[in-house]
Amino acid sequence: MKQHLCTGLAAAALIAALSGCGGSPGTTATTPAATSPAATSAAPTTGSPTAAAAVDLKTASSSAGNIVVDAAGMSVYFFTKDVKDSGTSACTGACLTAWPPVLTTEAKPAAEGVTGTLGTITTPDGAKQVTLNGLPLYYFAQDKKPGDVLGQGVNGVWYLASPAGEMIRTAASGY
């Protein structure tokens, strides 16, 4: 009984987190809802963004085209509700569970193949979140392995980053 209750609560928490991350009541996520507690982890399972001494960004080929990924190959995303050069993230609270920030300890992260301007903003808890062309970058908690692009287009407000620092608004193939 407790097992079913915990699983149900975890699923409800994930749904609440995703719904709090933008979109209007008429929008739906393009990815299936998770039903396991593991899907609610705050960071991708391959590579911990909070433990990295520096975030090295690079480019990779994906079903959505050439995108920006971290050193471990995990896809990074933009949030359309962020304001360029504002120095803050619009993703707060439960949103950060589904969309953890890409963090670094460096003032300017190193990148290979990324032509956009890299920088950082300070998160409310004092960490440095990586920015590309003045917009914060995020992971999608449901991306579990390098090459996953499950966050592309979620609620019409989450998009992969191009090497030039633009939002890739086309759908990834192979959904």
Side-chain angles (χ1 to χ4, degrees):
M1 176 83 168
K2 286 184 180 181
Q3 178 75 17
H4 293 295
L5 179 60
C6 289
T7 301
L9 290 174
L14 180 61
I15 291 167
L18 286 174
S19 66
C21 294
S24 64
T27 61
T28 58
T30 58
T31 58
T35 57
S36 71
T40 62
S41 71
T45 56
T46 55
S48 171
T50 57
V55 173
D56 295 314
L57 298 178
K58 59 185 182 178
T59 61
S61 180
S62 78
S63 58
N66 206 23
I67 62 170
V68 177
V69 298
D70 71 3
M74 298 303 293
S75 302
V76 300
Y77 298 87
F78 287 121
F79 184 31
T80 61
K81 295 189 178 200
D82 283 326
V83 177
K84 184 176 180 172
D85 297 321
S86 69
T88 61
S89 167
C91 181
T92 59
C95 177
L96 292 171
T97 301
W99 300 94
V102 177
L103 301 176
T104 186
T105 57
E106 303 299 319
K108 184 174 181 185
E112 182 178 303
V114 177
T115 57
T117 304
L118 292 170
T120 63
I121 60 171
T122 303
T123 65
D125 63 356
K128 290 181 185 176
Q129 183 172 3
V130 179
T131 62
L132 181 55
N133 287 355
L135 289 170
L137 293 174
Y138 306 86
Y139 295 105
F140 184 45
Q142 290 187 26
D143 285 350
K144 298 298 181 190
K145 64 185 184 309
D148 282 353
V149 292
L150 300 175
Q152 177 65 356
V154 168
N155 289 337
V157 295
W158 293 97
Y159 295 100
L160 292 161
S162 79
E166 302 298 322
M167 290 183 194
I168 299 172
R169 293 187 182 253
T170 58
S173 61
Y175 274 123

